[in-house]
Amino acid sequence: MTTEKNITLAIRKYLKSIGAKVYKLHGSGMGVNGAPDLLGAYAGRPLALEVKVPGKKLSPLQEKEIAALIEAGAIAARVESVEDVKNLLKGESNE
């Protein structure tokens, strides 16, 4: 069974392998509502990813936060696989 945790772990492993720095945000009373699951940087740009299992949609607040991050210049998106992340990052490498 594919879980959000397993998808997140695979994405973090992939991002580390390509030189990205990423942190997993954990939901808590101290967190920011709507903040993406993964925050970091890749190729000199901020990176923000909301990880979802296939078919699960973003909440309206998550949609708003992702849009605001993109507007501010971040690479930001809803992703459900390493392949989604690879496609998102195409053309972002400094190599």
Side-chain angles (χ1 to χ4, degrees), residues 5-22 38 41-43 47 49 51 75 79-93 95:
K5 180 179 179 179
N6 292 339
I7 297 166
T8 300
L9 289 172
I11 289 171
R12 289 179 72 192
K13 182 177 178 181
Y14 169 71
L15 289 170
K16 183 177 180 182
S17 79
I18 62 168
K21 183 67 176 174
V22 67
L38 299 174
Y42 176 69
L47 178 65
L49 302 173
V51 181
I75 303 165
V79 295
E80 56 186 52
S81 67
V82 170
E83 194 62 34
D84 284 352
V85 175
K86 288 179 181 180
N87 289 332
L88 178 67
L89 298 180
K90 280 184 183 172
E92 295 295 339
S93 176
E95 299 173 14

Side-chain angles (χ1 to χ4, degrees), residues 34 57-66:
K57 297 182 180 199
L58 295 173
S59 71
L61 183 55
Q62 289 170 328
E63 288 178 359
K64 181 180 174 183
E65 290 299 317
I66 292 290

Side-chain angles (χ1 to χ4, degrees), residues 25-77:
L25 299 183
H26 297 278
S28 71
M30 302 290 287
V32 176
N33 289 337
D37 296 315
L38 299 174
L39 286 178
Y42 176 69
R45 291 194 49 206
L47 178 65
L49 302 173
E50 180 61 40
V51 181
K52 295 290 186 189
V53 295
K56 187 169 180 189
K57 297 182 180 199
L58 295 173
S59 71
L61 183 55
Q62 289 170 328
E63 288 178 359
K64 181 180 174 183
E65 290 299 317
I66 292 290
L69 287 159
I70 292 169
E71 179 69 25
I75 303 165

